[in-house]
Amino acid sequence: MRRAVPMMLVVLLLVCGCAAVTAETPSAPPVVRVSPALDSRHARTDHGVVVRALGGTLSRVLVYEGGEPVPGRLDDSRTIWRSDWTLKPSAEYTVNATASGEAGPSTVAAGRFHTRAAQRTFQVASTTPLPGETVGVGMPVIIDFNGPITDKAAVERALEVTSVTPAEGAWRWTSDTQVIYRTRRFWAAREQITVSAHLAGVRGGPGLYGATDSTFAFTVGRKQTSMIDTKAHQMIVERDGEVVQRMAISAGNATTREYTTTSGVHLTMDKGNPVRMISPGRQEGDPGFYDIMIDHAVRISNSGEYVHAKDNVWAQGRVNVSHGCVNARPDQAAWFYDSSLRGDPVIITGTGRELEWDNGWGFWQLPWEKWTLGSARGDADPAGGWVSKR
């Protein structure tokens, strides 16, 4: 019996040893990385700001420039935050970002960086429509730059068009200095449109960067559409779906190409009262030469076509005798002049000459699929340019 006691003690010790508790290893705090690196003095502008969390998720990201918040967004995993747009040249940015892990302490990264100055800059030179203008439902958005753009994809991605009623649209480059936005279908009537060019810091070409952002807004008015049948010599004006005017007209006599009215979807471009009209390709003394002042003229193309007043009521409604324009009775032409907004569609049928898509604002002549081919965004990753991750 005395020998059994030590063995029992050994068993008890073994059992106690198996119940020993192991201490847990503390979780490592997440790591926050900011690009451009904090304290940078000559940061690039065209890649924006990117904040990443390693080993955790971002719970807060605040970026400011000049006291103004920099817009940006988190990805679905909440591990990457990107600024929506590029950065201003020669500017100071402050960053405050917090990352949290599953357990353990959070990590805060705070600091500032400076962007480099731009060697050469570009900016918006002019816009159509004008800020605050009320336009027709067919109105395009035309932006002209003050110099040639070679990295068109980067610049196009910086252009934003917003409306209360969603509308599908696309940009098309017509030259190195001009880009045009057209919707797939006409704008909704009485719509508010805002156009923002987030160009500051965008790379427009080698050594060329956007200088400033710019924004303008315009309003779409009532829906007014004019249908002109040159064979029937009639013009019908509809407003918000109802006929508001019927006009007998006379169109181009079609004896030459320039005297043939173009068929297609025109837009009213501008107007004058009066407008001086001179015969194309003819000098004084030549047969068919004219140099006259015309009242209440609304331009619808760049090839000399107007809807205007003409006191030749004997021809209106009966025969086409003009030099390519559409003329109407003076009182009705004055009414059309007064009621027209830039961008009102004027649809002409019945002639043997088609309106070219690049004649004035003949942009609606291109089918949507062809219009979108003029966009530069087919390049999904332009070299050296800002690529939006949205």
Side-chain angles (χ1 to χ4, degrees):
M1 294 295 293
R2 290 180 180 177
R3 291 182 181 179
V5 174
M7 294 180 66
M8 292 177 65
L9 290 173
V10 170
V11 171
L12 289 172
L13 288 172
L14 290 172
V15 171
C16 292
C18 291
V21 178
T22 303
E24 295 184 4
T25 303
S27 299
V31 175
V32 177
R33 292 181 179 173
V34 180
S35 178
L38 299 179
D39 297 325
S40 297
R41 305 298 299 177
H42 302 284
R44 290 182 62 159
T45 62
D46 54 333
H47 288 172
V49 180
V50 181
V51 180
R52 302 176 187 270
L54 305 178
T57 58
L58 293 165
S59 56
R60 186 181 70 167
V61 178
L62 299 175
V63 181
Y64 288 88
E65 185 279 320
E68 295 294 326
V70 174
R73 63 198 67 208
L74 285 167
D75 67 355
D76 293 339
S77 67
R78 299 187 65 83
T79 59
I80 301 175
W81 182 96
R82 296 179 185 273
S83 60
D84 286 345
W85 311 107
T86 52
L87 307 178
K88 296 180 180 179
S90 303
E92 179 183 86
Y93 287 81
T94 61
V95 180
N96 190 301
T98 302
S100 303
E102 294 183 1
S106 300
T107 300
V108 177
R112 63 191 63 201
F113 63 86
H114 292 79
T115 56
R116 67 182 65 171
Q119 297 176 349
R120 296 186 299 121
T121 62
F122 72 94
Q123 61 188 14
V124 172
S126 64
T127 64
T128 303
L130 297 172
E133 184 176 357
T134 299
V135 301
V137 295
M139 189 70 187
V141 176
I142 304 173
I143 294 180
D144 291 288
F145 301 101
N146 65 341
I149 304 298
T150 56
D151 196 342
K152 294 179 175 63
V155 172
E156 188 176 328
R157 285 183 175 86
L159 305 177
E160 183 180 33
V161 180
T162 57
S163 57
V164 176
T165 303
E168 183 180 3
W171 294 94
R172 183 182 182 89
W173 291 84
T174 56
S175 72
D176 287 342
T177 59
Q178 186 181 80
V179 64
I180 300 172
Y181 183 89
R182 200 206 88 185
T183 47
R184 185 168 190 169
R185 298 174 179 85
F186 291 152
W187 295 108
R190 299 167 182 84
E191 182 66 272
Q192 300 293 320
I193 314 296
T194 301
V195 182
S196 299
H198 305 275
L199 296 178
V202 172
R203 184 181 185 274
L208 179 69
Y209 292 86
T212 59
D213 296 335
S214 62
T215 298
F216 70 97
F218 62 93
T219 302
V220 180
R222 77 291 174 271
K223 181 180 181 180
Q224 179 168 300
T225 304
S226 300
M227 303 291 297
I228 297 175
D229 185 339
T230 61
K231 290 184 177 180
H233 317 293
Q234 295 293 320
M235 176 174 174
I236 299 175
V237 183
E238 291 187 357
R239 186 177 299 162
D240 294 328
E242 295 186 2
V243 175
V244 292
Q245 188 69 269
R246 297 179 185 271
M247 303 161 61
I249 60 93
S250 180
N253 60 35
T255 56
T256 63
R257 176 176 173 78
E258 63 266 30
Y259 288 171
T260 303
T261 304
T262 57
S263 289
V265 182
H266 305 68
L267 297 177
T268 55
M269 301 175 64
D270 56 46
K271 53 189 178 180
N273 183 33
V275 170
R276 184 182 181 186
M277 297 188 182
I278 304 174
S279 52
R282 290 171 172 79
Q283 298 181 351
E284 189 172 359
D286 292 344
F289 172 81
Y290 62 86
D291 183 350
I292 54 178
M293 302 298 291
I294 297 294
D295 293 337
H296 296 112
V298 179
R299 183 161 67 99
I300 58 173
S301 78
N302 278 347
S303 55
E305 293 174 292
Y306 289 78
V307 177
H308 64 72
K310 185 73 172 177
D311 192 14
N312 62 338
V313 294
W314 61 269
Q316 293 159 4
R318 296 177 178 84
V319 63
N320 295 323
V321 298
S322 83
H323 295 118
C325 292
V326 174
N327 61 68
R329 203 174 67 202
D331 62 316
Q332 290 188 320
W335 175 90
F336 183 72
Y337 179 95
D338 291 337
S339 67
S340 292
L341 299 172
R342 288 206 300 171
D344 284 339
V346 177
I347 302 169
I348 301 177
T349 60
T351 76
R353 179 184 175 187
E354 194 76 11
L355 175 68
E356 303 88 352
W357 77 267
D358 56 353
N359 182 353
W361 295 347
F363 310 130
W364 294 96
Q365 288 293 94
L366 278 185
W368 179 247
E369 292 73 18
K370 289 187 177 180
W371 176 264
T372 58
L373 294 177
S375 168
R377 297 187 68 171
D379 181 1
D381 189 12
W386 168 249
V387 181
S388 174
K389 299 300 182 181
R390 290 186 291 169

